[in-house]
Amino acid sequence: MNLILLFFFLSLISQVPSEPILTVNPKTLSKSGDSVHIQWSGIESPSKLDWLGLYSPPDSPHHNFIGYKFLSSSSSTWESGAGSISLPLTFLRSNYTFRIFRWTESEVNPEIHDQDHNPLPGTKHLLAESETVGFELGRGPEQIHLALTGREGEMRVMFVAEDPEERQVRYGEKEGEWEGDVAVARVGRYEREDMCHAPANESVGWRDPGWIFDAVMSGLKGGVKYYYQVGSESKGWSTTRSFVSWDKSSNETIAFLFGDMGTATPYLTFSRTQDESISTIKWILRNLEALGDKPTFISHIGDISYARGYSWLWDEFFNLIEPVASKVPYHVCIGNHEYDWPSQPWKPDWANSIYGTDGGGECGVPYSLRFNMPGNSSEPTGTHAPATRNLYYSFDMGPVHFVYMSTETNFLQGSSQYDFLKHDLESVDRMKTPFVVVQGHRPMYTTSFESRDAPLREKMLEHLEPLFVNNNVNLALWGHVHRYERFCPLKNFTCGSMGQKGKDWEALPVHVVIGMAGQDWQPTWEPRPDHPHDPVYPQPKRSLYRTGEFGYTRLIATKEKLTLSFVGNHDGEVHDMVEILASGQVLNGGDDNNGKVGAVHKVDDVTRCSFSHYVWGGSVLVLGGFVGYVLGFVSHARRQIATERGWTSLKTEER
């Protein structure tokens, strides 16, 4: 009888469903970018909508996830109820935990969606939760990035740590031999209360930003390679990094310039992220390694991280750029996605349709504290938040004078920014720096269908173009439009003569839109005025080359000539190029270029030889693609939204 009862009891036990198991390994990571292996089993009747959520801090409410992955797109064995995935994690000053949820089709609510109009997954049915994953102590600060101060013999370094205890930078000409060269870093931070709007000031978007440290290495010799570490004896030092100091006497300038790059994440989240940013940084890193000990810098002209109020995306961004930004100065100017919010202080009537909610409530605060550019420009926010900084400034690098401006704050005549630009451009010593390059976010010229920004472009043409023309600005570089487009030497929509065929040439600015570094929401080109709804987009004569390809630009200048090249991400090759002499004459790409308007210019042998140490060829980078939703209803929803808004794979509103 007892034996029968035993078998009956065991039979009942075997029929009880097993609890899902979720495990993580290792439980301690050494640095940002290290991967955790996540494994699950025991999921009954697995569904394509079962999903894995990432949480930091571990006690975050279910709906306040950092990101998520669908199990069906993460593991080939998901239908068995078991699977695994490896995810690289970024240190957010707290531990992580992972949770698996069941989400059913009947629970899908299209009204609750991310910025890409995908319904956000539901958290009603928790299936499993993992143990916590943390990071080693004493490993030193992260998010290291350099910047010029504008003063000879100096280099700024900024980084992030989890507490305000004193940190330093130690540096010297020999690795590991610091020779007493140590600088104590200033420390600061911003709080949730400093944010101006949702989601930045809500629990769903806010995470501890850490403590931001800012130190200046001084007494540097020009054009010398220096090694450095940041940190402290008690909290640990970073790995050794190096840079080549600014050489004021150099007759050569090398720079990598782009806009609108953003960052990539190994998970889906509330805000659309930019996969192509990985490729942009990888190509630039290869270029830097090939350059060796030549000083150079990077220029990122607005729409920096696309965090838009989800603060951990700033951490992901700095983790992405650290390999290059810890080697060379990383310079920025402000864009709409760092700043714009409904109650921003400068919002004239003509700009009501322009300055909206693109900043996600950050109102320039993370941008202002995470970077420290030369100069002291600032504008009050009109709230208790810190003033917005890094708006306009300039510096010399070799034979080029670089000017940065803000298109998000007042630039009209009578403003402090206009006065700065006027004085700066009129004061340039063209014997010392024969070339002048101005950079800002929103373009003065574009042939994209950017009707919403038309009033701003009119103001730029009225107030800024005369400054540029009268002071012989050579290049005007802009972002905001997520494409590459180069114009002829231009004034009031009219191409100037390049001096070919016996004509007199005019020294007019060459405008180039370079917002193609990562963001993939692209506007259509401007249609024909008399056929606005037909998908025909003629290229105006003033637009010499335009493309939707991702990439970056490379600037090389000597005292005699400046060359700007567009490098495509898919092959690392030069796809367009313009050359400008110190006199201001544009050598190629003008309106009288033998009728070959918009032709792709083959890189000449001289340029190729002088830059032979660059990566000219190479296979296409194989990047891990971010998968979208796996069910047909999501694809249908996207197509439906696209149809309603009048766009297919292009987007007209997001810039």
Side-chain angles (χ1 to χ4, degrees):
M1 184 66 180
N2 290 337
L3 187 60
I4 294 174
L5 290 174
L6 177 61
F7 278 115
F8 178 72
F9 180 70
L10 291 175
S11 175
L12 288 176
I13 292 177
S14 66
Q15 296 177 30
V16 176
S18 61
E19 289 292 324
I21 298 173
L22 182 59
T23 61
V24 290
N25 185 54
K27 294 183 177 63
T28 303
L29 304 177
S30 62
K31 64 182 185 307
S32 287
D34 286 355
S35 292
V36 59
H37 187 70
I38 305 162
Q39 193 165 359
W40 64 89
S41 61
I43 295 180
E44 294 290 326
S45 303
S47 162
K48 286 186 176 181
L49 287 180
D50 294 340
W51 61 280
L52 173 77
L54 291 74
Y55 291 85
S56 182
D59 60 354
S60 298
H62 288 336
H63 63 281
N64 284 359
F65 47 79
I66 293 291
Y68 60 95
K69 297 278 290 185
F70 286 104
L71 304 188
S72 57
S73 62
S74 303
S75 175
S76 60
T77 61
W78 70 274
E79 290 181 291
S80 69
S84 64
I85 183 176
S86 290
L87 286 176
L89 299 182
T90 294
F91 180 49
L92 300 180
R93 280 76 54 195
S94 63
N95 294 335
Y96 282 82
T97 190
F98 303 88
R99 305 170 198 172
I100 290 180
F101 294 90
R102 172 140 296 165
W103 186 35
T104 65
E105 288 191 45
S106 63
E107 295 170 332
V108 173
N109 184 356
E111 299 301 316
I112 304 176
H113 57 79
D114 63 16
Q115 291 180 334
D116 207 18
H117 308 288
N118 298 316
L120 289 170
T123 59
K124 186 176 180 180
H125 312 290
L126 176 66
L127 301 183
E129 185 168 2
S130 75
E131 296 181 271
T132 60
V133 175
F135 287 79
E136 291 178 359
L137 300 177
R139 70 195 179 285
E142 296 186 340
Q143 304 185 29
I144 303 167
H145 55 105
L146 302 172
L148 300 172
T149 67
R151 297 182 293 271
E152 190 174 1
E154 292 185 348
M155 181 70 76
R156 184 182 305 280
V157 60
M158 299 184 73
F159 50 92
V160 172
E162 63 272 21
D163 62 64
E165 185 174 308
E166 181 180 293
R167 270 38 172 223
Q168 304 169 336
V169 56
R170 57 189 187 185
Y171 56 100
E173 294 182 48
K174 295 182 179 179
E175 185 173 1
E177 298 182 16
W178 311 119
E179 302 173 356
D181 289 326
V182 175
V184 175
R186 294 188 299 110
V187 61
R189 64 177 278 131
Y190 53 92
E191 304 294 344
R192 177 174 169 179
E193 293 73 21
D194 294 328
M195 304 294 105
C196 300
H197 207 264
N201 61 3
E202 295 182 340
S203 58
V204 67
W206 173 259
R207 295 296 186 279
D208 173 22
W211 293 85
I212 303 166
F213 291 80
D214 183 343
V216 175
M217 294 172 274
S218 59
L220 306 178
K221 303 173 185 175
V224 172
K225 186 172 185 177
Y226 283 88
Y227 298 89
Y228 71 99
Q229 290 182 326
V230 296
S232 68
E233 295 295 342
S234 61
K235 294 292 185 174
W237 294 94
S238 69
T239 57
T240 301
R241 313 301 175 94
S242 65
F243 66 89
V244 178
S245 59
W246 178 27
D247 187 358
K248 188 176 181 180
S249 63
S250 174
N251 290 324
E252 181 182 45
T253 301
I254 301 174
F256 300 90
L257 314 98
F258 52 83
D260 304 73
M261 185 176 73
T263 190
T265 57
Y267 49 76
L268 296 168
T269 187
F270 299 95
S271 182
R272 184 178 181 87
T273 55
Q274 296 74 40
D275 302 21
E276 196 66 29
S277 61
I278 298 174
S279 186
T280 299
I281 290 297
K282 283 190 175 182
W283 279 115
I284 291 177
L285 182 59
R286 291 186 187 189
N287 287 178
L288 293 177
E289 291 171 346
L291 269 175
D293 294 341
K294 284 178 174 278
T296 183
F297 77 99
I298 290 172
S299 184
H300 186 163
I301 56 173
D303 287 4
I304 309 297
S305 71
Y306 283 99
R308 292 176 281 198
Y310 297 99
S311 64
W312 62 89
L313 293 179
W314 279 108
D315 297 285
E316 297 284 6
F317 169 79
F318 281 105
N319 187 46
L320 171 71
I321 70 166
E322 185 176 299
V324 298
S326 61
K327 284 177 173 286
V328 300
Y330 198 101
H331 281 256
V332 294
C333 68
I334 199 166
N336 51 305
H337 286 296
E338 286 75 60
Y339 184 72
D340 294 6
W341 83 99
S343 57
Q344 65 190 79
W346 187 66
K347 194 172 183 179
D349 291 341
W350 54 264
N352 282 334
S353 66
I354 299 171
Y355 300 127
T357 61
D358 291 344
E362 292 183 352
C363 53
V365 174
Y367 168 83
S368 297
L369 274 72
R370 287 178 174 270
F371 295 102
N372 191 352
M373 298 292 102
N376 57 2
S377 63
S378 68
E379 292 287 346
T381 59
T383 70
H384 60 274
T388 308
R389 304 188 324 206
N390 308 318
L391 296 173
Y392 44 89
Y393 61 96
S394 67
F395 59 83
D396 295 340
M397 174 67 83
V400 182
H401 181 71
F402 291 94
V403 184
Y404 292 77
M405 65 162 290
S406 165
T407 58
E408 309 310 299
T409 57
N410 194 351
F411 56 80
L412 306 184
Q413 292 185 41
S415 67
S416 58
Q417 178 169 203
Y418 181 90
D419 291 343
F420 165 82
L421 292 171
K422 184 175 187 297
H423 178 266
D424 186 86
L425 292 175
E426 290 175 350
S427 303
V428 176
D429 182 353
R430 301 306 280 257
M431 296 299 293
K432 176 184 173 186
T433 53
F435 299 102
V436 175
V437 177
V438 176
Q439 300 167 87
H441 183 59
R442 300 186 196 240
M444 185 182 298
Y445 287 100
T446 176
T447 63
S448 68
F449 199 27
E450 292 282 338
S451 57
R452 193 177 73 172
D453 279 0
L456 181 134
R457 290 197 297 273
E458 291 175 3
K459 296 298 181 183
M460 294 176 73
L461 288 165
E462 178 186 352
H463 294 265
L464 298 181
E465 186 172 55
L467 278 183
F468 292 7
V469 172
N470 294 339
N471 291 285
N472 298 320
V473 169
N474 302 101
L475 268 178
L477 304 178
W478 313 101
H480 195 55
V481 177
H482 308 141
R483 299 186 177 215
Y484 173 83
E485 183 172 25
R486 177 173 59 84
F487 292 87
C488 62
L490 201 56
K491 176 184 176 182
N492 193 25
F493 294 93
T494 303
C495 292
S497 171
M498 289 176 28
Q500 297 181 1
K501 300 178 182 178
K503 299 179 182 178
D504 293 334
W505 59 271
E506 301 173 80
L508 295 177
V510 173
H511 291 257
V512 188
V513 177
I514 57 172
M516 67 291 155
Q519 177 59 272
D520 56 1
W521 282 354
Q522 297 182 338
T524 60
W525 299 114
E526 188 172 355
R528 295 170 295 174
D530 53 344
H531 295 82
H533 303 297
D534 293 342
V536 177
Y537 311 108
Q539 186 168 353
K541 187 178 181 182
R542 64 182 178 276
S543 173
L544 301 186
Y545 186 93
R546 64 185 190 183
T547 179
E549 181 175 359
F550 297 104
Y552 57 94
T553 62
R554 183 179 62 219
L555 183 150
I556 306 173
T558 64
K559 287 277 191 178
E560 293 75 33
K561 184 174 72 172
L562 180 152
T563 303
L564 184 76
S565 306
F566 166 56
V567 182
N569 273 357
H570 82 278
D571 60 2
E573 291 283 352
V574 173
H575 291 261
D576 184 51
M577 183 180 70
V578 62
E579 297 172 304
I580 305 174
L581 296 180
S583 62
Q585 184 177 7
V586 179
L587 291 186
N588 53 8
D591 67 333
D592 44 13
N593 189 31
N594 296 322
K596 298 179 181 179
V597 175
V600 179
H601 300 286
K602 182 176 177 62
V603 181
D604 61 82
D605 293 337
V606 175
T607 304
R608 183 180 290 273
C609 291
S610 67
F611 221 74
S612 60
H613 49 284
Y614 271 87
V615 181
W616 285 99
S619 60
V620 177
L621 292 175
V622 181
L623 301 178
F626 289 168
V627 295
Y629 284 114
V630 295
L631 291 185
F633 77 87
V634 175
S635 298
H636 173 74
R638 284 178 171 173
R639 287 193 297 270
Q640 184 177 8
I641 293 169
T643 302
E644 292 172 355
R645 296 190 174 203
W647 44 271
T648 53
S649 60
L650 304 174
K651 184 167 170 56
T652 59
E653 297 177 358
E654 177 69 25
R655 295 186 291 279

